[in-house]
DNA sequence: GTCTATAGAAGGATAGAC
DNA sequence: GTCTATCCTTCTATAGAC
């Protein structure tokens, strides 16, 4: 046999690309830069990801995977749909407050490539649609109407865009909105 | 005799660039494309705008000029700070509902060029800071606290990002928020 | 020797700037 | 129009592990 292929090469490349793409934007980062940070040759990069679009799609898929895991974990300890809704917003707020937060990766991609319908754009749109659907589901579960769902989605969108100092305002507001739906017993 | 310079050349170029930049993003549009749409020569473009960054800055300055004019017009007929606040949000909502709306030009630029501090970035940041300051001012004028200002800013940010179908929700919500501050006389 | 890795040049297109 | 630089992508050359 010949030289054994390194096992984690794909992950190494993808991790390097993800960091660069998120920090500087997909358009601003060249494939040569990815190769340099990943510490591999161009040949290997193109063997794992046949194009920059496929690499960008894998980057967004990775971010989605991390976010899904993080949200699932956050919702695990919430009792009912009300506290799940609050936990969901709190999870986003925690992300916004992270030191190297640079906006929502999916919204950023759609802003960088407006009107595009390639694979990464579809990944991004799917994430946004699914998240919105989950908000709708949770609101419906706790007896809220579409107005409440629209309002929470408005807050979520503002939370992603706004400064980190606004994060707590969003969390408290959503808590208040869904909390007022369940009048305290007695 | 030398050829007389056309009077509206700068505006023609800037209008063409503005349309392209807003529709496709600044990074995606090349100077050649601007020249093609403007119908002028490249040398003329570089005589008016010595670099792409300066053209982008002029584009954002033009957008700001239009927005300032539009907001001033919207606030003209509003009686007190409460209705001015509502009028401000309604003006943004009208923009969001326009058929070719593609997001906030300033936020889009900052997303396309993260971490940059060139002239267009400064124009964009100044607009956002000024708008936020105006919201703060109006909220303070009608006796609201910083929490109300933060909440309205959250809605405004969500309004810019969200789908046009959310626009009315934002307008109604802000109307309700500032309206509840002025209990009806009698 | 054979296979896979990296490094880097080459191709072709397109960018910004003059 | 031209010039230079850089983009993504492909390919060649070479070194290293089996």
């Amino acid at each position: 046999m010949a030289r054994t292929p390194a096992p984690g090469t794909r992950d190494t490349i993808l991790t390097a690309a993800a960091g660069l793409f998120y920090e500087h934007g997909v358009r601003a980062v060249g494939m040569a830069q990815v190769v340099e940070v990943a510490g591999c040759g161009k040949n290997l990069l193109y063997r794992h990801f046949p194009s920059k679009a496929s690499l960008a799609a894998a980057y967004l898929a990775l971010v989605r995977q991390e976010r899904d895991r993080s949200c699932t974990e956050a919702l695990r300890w919430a009792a009912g749909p009300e506290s799940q809704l609050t936990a969901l917003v709190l999870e986003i707020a925690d992300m916004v407050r992270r030191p190297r937060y640079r906006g929502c990766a999916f919204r950023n991609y759609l802003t960088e490539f407006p009107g595009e319908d390639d694979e990464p754009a579809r990944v991004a749109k799917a994430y946004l649609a699914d998240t919105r659907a989950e908000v709708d589901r949770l609101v419906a579960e706790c007896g809220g109407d579409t107005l409440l769902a629209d309002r929470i989605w408005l807050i979520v969108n503002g939370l992603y865009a706004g400064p980190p100092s606004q994060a707590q305002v969003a969390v408290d507001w959503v808590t208040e909105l869904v909390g007022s739906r369940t009048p305290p017993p007695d």
Side-chain angles (χ1 to χ4, degrees), chain A:
Chain A
M1 263 305 271
R3 182 175 178 177
T4 172
T9 306
R10 207 192 108 105
D11 283 355
T12 303
I13 296 172
L14 187 50
T15 302
L20 289 168
F21 283 165
Y22 182 68
E23 183 174 0
H24 303 102
V26 175
R27 270 205 143 102
V29 173
M31 295 296 262
Q33 208 173 339
V34 174
V35 159
E36 188 185 6
V37 172
C40 72
K42 295 185 186 175
N43 225 333
L44 200 52
L45 168 65
Y46 276 94
R47 243 170 27 80
H48 285 283
F49 305 98
S51 72
K52 189 182 184 180
S54 80
L55 181 58
Y59 148 62
L60 292 181
L62 174 66
V63 174
R64 159 141 212 182
Q65 190 180 324
E66 292 170 352
R67 289 214 49 65
D68 282 347
R69 196 179 47 76
S70 188
C71 286
T72 303
E73 186 67 21
L75 295 196
R76 165 164 299 173
W77 306 105
E82 290 90 354
S83 59
Q84 283 188 340
L85 223 28
T86 302
L88 191 72
V89 176
L90 177 59
E91 196 280 331
I92 299 173
D94 284 340
M95 178 180 62
V96 168
R97 284 185 284 221
R98 285 207 302 249
R100 301 220 293 290
Y101 175 71
R102 282 226 33 78
C104 168
F106 309 101
R107 290 168 173 85
N108 287 355
Y109 184 87
L110 295 175
T111 298
E112 280 197 273
F113 298 86
E116 208 123 341
D117 198 47
D118 51 1
E119 197 188 346
R122 282 192 294 271
V123 174
K125 290 176 189 168
Y127 174 81
L128 296 183
D130 291 348
T131 306
R132 171 68 216 247
E134 189 167 9
V135 168
D136 287 348
R137 182 179 61 80
L138 289 174
V139 167
E141 269 188 31
C142 61
D145 52 5
T146 54
L147 176 61
L148 180 60
D150 279 341
R151 288 183 169 184
I152 290 179
W153 188 242
L154 211 49
I155 293 178
V156 167
N157 277 327
L159 176 54
Y160 273 116
S165 56
Q166 299 259 88
Q168 196 56 45
V169 176
V171 173
D172 293 341
W173 205 1
V174 170
T175 303
E176 178 184 320
L177 285 172
V178 301
S180 68
R181 288 213 37 79
T182 56
D186 170 52

